[in-house]
Amino acid sequence: MRVIKSIQSLQRLIQKAKRSGESIGFVPTMGALHQGHQSLIRCCRRENKITVLSIFVNPQQFGPHEDFLRYPRPGRLDKMLAEKEKVDIIFTPTEKTMYPDGYQTTVIVGDRAQGMCGRFRPGHFQGVATVVIKLLHIVMPDRLYLGEKDAQQVAVLRQVVRDLNFPVTIRVCPTVREKDGLAMSSRNRYLSAIERNEAAVLYHALQEARFHIRQGMRNAGTILRRIRSRIQRQSSATIDYIVCVDRATLKPLVTVHGKVMLALAVRFGRTRLIDNILVNVP
Amino acid sequence: MRVIKSIQSLQRLIQKAKRSGESIGFVPTMGALHQGHQSLIRCCRRENKITVLSIFVNPQQFGPHEDFLRYPRPGRLDKMLAEKEKVDIIFTPTEKTMYPDGYQTTVIVGDRAQGMCGRFRPGHFQGVATVVIKLLHIVMPDRLYLGEKDAQQVAVLRQVVRDLNFPVTIRVCPTVREKDGLAMSSRNRYLSAIERNEAAVLYHALQEARFHIRQGMRNAGTILRRIRSRIQRQSSATIDYIVCVDRATLKPLVTVHGKVMLALAVRFGRTRLIDNILVNVP
């Protein structure tokens, strides 16, 4: 496994690999790797000759009062996990490398970045879109691996990649969950023992809603109220949002139909968690 | 010469060429080709195995009251010139191909897009930056050819390409001029005979300023006043701006020093012309 910090070194390496016709898969992360990342890496390794993993806690996607400074950075453990998973190249640039003095350019996204987390984290998705375009230019992958847990991020990046004609295939891997259903997240480690126990309600409430839809419930308002009341009943969480949207466009639905996503963001103390599930409504 | 309208076809062709290790040079244009473009094409052919020329009048870089609709589109003549110059591939997408329904993404540039033409053409450079990033993703060139006449565009694109880490070398070719010094431009054909005669004053005024700098004049205000008064004396033009800036950063200079650019935009009737010259001040 090669650990590379310099953009130019990586670009040279990639160019050489591409000239030999080797396929490149890319897993962008902010580190603090967990089984969700592991599943992305494994999927990437199956489909590509070379697997590139980036670890970069991108300041531009954090708001001024968010957890940029305390975001976990277990560098050595991350490298051990990557090594074990047979990642070929880890890219670990510094902030200065990615945003040198005089840096000025931003990629702005449209509607899909406005609702849901966009409402609560202004600027977040333009930070994500910009860093991912930069990383795509550095890694030039054939395939990009994203997690279904970050559903809005996936929708935004699909839009950006398509709009800007970047030639890459986006692969989305299913959310990996703890035994009690909590979606794996680098932020779970912030939770106290009590919060950690309570957090399982998120997935249970989403599952219950899916059950109701399958039983014939079609009114989105009713479904969302059920999710909300269960979370409020069984936890101390503060709800940022719970939505029922079209899976591809993220447009809110009044009556559920087609490919539906139920998504939510809630806060346990200072820890903000997101989750979502998909439901196919015939 | 192959004429290609589809993004996917071009991307497939390019991918094949790149796998064979062939170098790709790219000349983006809005058509209405003249000797300035010809010089870019020739420079591109000398340095690359494959020369790609794009012809696309990009609506996103025109303001609502600008000349998008009347911009010249002599398609057949352009193709003949490209053929004569042995261009390998012409890319001529439609507006719908480049901006399909639901298109939403924009590349925003910083300071360099604000002054000069940016003041008079709000949104122009973000339109340019966005379409060029799209075209770079489609053509994936090793080298990008731009004309020195569009000096602010060059500065903006240098910034965007560097900030977003796109792996391409930017080559800037000198402005090609008519016998009387008028910079070649697709917009020159809008000029009436009288305006065309008067327009030569732009280059003469810039040259005179360079002469004064070489003679020791260092006060930017004085130099700019000289240029302004000569243009006003010898033409009917309306001046948008005349500036004396650092060539790389486009920051205005009070005292000329280092690598200096004198640049201007003036209007003859509805026709807006730009020009610039460089001066090395020891």
Side-chain angles (χ1 to χ4, degrees), chain B:
Chain B
M1 184 176 76
R2 297 189 60 168
V3 180
I4 294 182
K5 284 172 166 302
S6 138
I7 292 174
Q8 271 147 23
S9 311
L10 182 51
Q11 283 180 322
R12 266 196 301 271
L13 203 68
I14 294 287
Q15 220 161 33
K16 215 173 119 190
K18 285 184 98 75
R19 266 200 299 269
S20 326
E22 291 173 347
S23 62
I24 293 163
F26 177 41
V27 183
T29 81
M30 299 208 300
L33 303 178
H34 50 66
Q35 289 168 53
H37 299 113
Q38 206 170 31
S39 122
L40 295 173
I41 295 168
R42 288 180 184 179
C43 186
C44 183
R45 283 200 59 227
R46 274 197 301 277
E47 299 182 340
N48 301 278
K49 182 79 199 309
I50 295 175
T51 289
V52 182
L53 176 85
S54 69
I55 297 182
F56 179 59
V57 185
N58 174 34
Q60 304 235 7
Q61 69 191 69
F62 288 81
H65 303 295
E66 291 183 0
D67 55 345
F68 174 66
L69 288 174
R70 67 179 184 123
Y71 198 87
R73 292 166 171 86
R76 237 169 52 88
L77 281 173
D78 283 347
K79 273 171 208 150
M80 280 167 58
L81 184 139
E83 179 101 59
K84 205 184 108 237
E85 293 296 329
K86 298 189 180 128
V87 163
D88 299 290
I89 298 169
I90 303 197
F91 178 51
T92 58
T94 64
E95 208 179 312
K96 199 83 174 174
T97 300
M98 291 297 275
Y99 304 108
D101 287 342
Y103 183 93
Q104 303 222 337
T105 306
T106 307
V107 177
I108 302 279
V109 205
D111 298 345
R112 293 183 186 185
Q114 303 310 314
M116 299 170 61
C117 287
R119 258 183 70 208
F120 294 88
R121 308 186 70 188
H124 171 67
F125 288 112
Q126 78 183 45
V128 170
T130 304
V131 81
V132 170
I133 287 294
K134 282 169 68 67
L135 290 167
L136 288 175
H137 290 166
I138 296 166
V139 179
M140 290 287 177
D142 299 285
R143 294 177 197 85
L144 172 66
Y145 294 82
L146 302 172
E148 204 158 50
K149 201 206 73 172
D150 304 320
Q152 190 172 13
Q153 175 168 291
V154 170
V156 164
L157 292 176
R158 278 195 193 285
Q159 173 99 45
V160 170
V161 160
R162 190 181 55 212
D163 282 354
L164 295 183
N165 310 107
F166 192 87
V168 70
T169 302
I170 294 181
R171 290 261 196 256
V172 181
C173 301
T175 304
V176 179
R177 298 178 180 282
E178 303 281 358
K179 278 206 181 105
D180 64 358
L182 177 65
M184 297 273 179
S185 164
S186 306
R187 288 184 170 102
N188 290 350
R189 65 189 75 186
Y190 296 151
L191 298 168
S192 70
I194 294 172
E195 290 168 341
R196 172 63 194 81
N197 270 331
E198 289 183 356
V201 73
L202 305 181
Y203 185 53
H204 297 156
L206 290 171
Q207 274 187 309
E208 187 190 315
R210 176 154 57 190
F211 173 80
H212 288 308
I213 294 172
R214 286 190 177 146
Q215 295 293 306
M217 197 182 281
R218 290 290 177 271
N219 182 290
T222 311
I223 295 161
L224 296 176
R225 269 192 299 279
R226 295 278 184 116
I227 301 173
R228 176 174 298 268
S229 91
R230 175 143 186 203
I231 292 172
Q232 284 172 335
R233 219 165 48 235
Q234 294 183 5
S235 81
S236 60
T238 310
I239 294 168
D240 270 2
Y241 67 80
I242 308 170
V243 293
C244 175
V245 297
D246 179 89
R247 176 186 179 169
T249 64
L250 304 187
K251 292 221 169 108
L253 298 170
V254 176
T255 307
V256 298
H257 62 275
K259 297 191 168 186
V260 174
M261 182 167 71
L262 298 166
L264 52 78
V266 304
R267 282 173 288 126
F268 289 87
R270 288 159 69 205
T271 306
R272 190 173 182 280
L273 301 181
I274 58 173
D275 201 354
N276 70 83
I277 61 172
L278 304 173
V279 194
N280 281 317
V281 182

Side-chain angles (χ1 to χ4, degrees), chain A residues 31-34 72-74 77-78 185-192:
Chain A
L33 303 178
H34 50 66
R73 292 166 170 85
L77 281 174
D78 283 346
S185 163
S186 307
R187 287 184 171 102
N188 290 351
R189 66 188 75 184
Y190 296 152
L191 298 169
S192 70

Side-chain angles (χ1 to χ4, degrees), chain A residues 103-176:
Chain A
Y103 183 92
Q104 304 224 335
T105 305
T106 308
V107 178
I108 302 278
V109 204
D111 299 344
R112 293 184 187 185
Q114 302 310 313
M116 297 170 62
C117 287
R119 258 184 69 209
F120 295 87
R121 307 186 69 187
H124 171 66
F125 288 111
Q126 80 183 43
V128 170
T130 305
V131 82
V132 170
I133 287 294
K134 284 170 65 69
L135 290 168
L136 288 175
H137 290 166
I138 295 166
V139 179
M140 291 287 177
D142 299 285
R143 294 177 197 85
L144 172 66
Y145 294 81
L146 303 172
E148 205 159 50
K149 202 207 71 173
D150 303 321
Q152 190 172 11
Q153 175 168 291
V154 170
V156 164
L157 291 176
R158 278 196 194 285
Q159 173 97 45
V160 170
V161 160
R162 190 181 56 215
D163 282 354
L164 296 183
N165 309 107
F166 192 88
V168 71
T169 301
I170 294 181
R171 290 262 197 256
V172 181
C173 301
T175 304
V176 179

Side-chain angles (χ1 to χ4, degrees), chain A residues 4 7 10-11 14 24 26-30 52-58 61 90-94 97-99 103 107 127-141 144 146 157 166 168, chain B residues 137 163-167:
Chain A
I4 294 182
I7 293 174
L10 181 52
Q11 282 180 322
I14 294 287
I24 293 163
F26 177 42
V27 183
T29 81
M30 300 208 299
V52 181
L53 176 86
S54 70
I55 296 182
F56 179 60
V57 185
N58 175 33
Q61 68 191 70
I90 303 197
F91 179 51
T92 56
T94 64
T97 301
M98 291 297 275
Y99 303 109
Y103 183 92
V107 178
V128 170
T130 305
V131 82
V132 170
I133 287 294
K134 284 170 65 69
L135 290 168
L136 288 175
H137 290 166
I138 295 166
V139 179
M140 291 287 177
L144 172 66
L146 303 172
L157 291 176
F166 192 88
V168 71
Chain B
H137 290 166
D163 282 354
L164 295 183
N165 310 107
F166 192 87

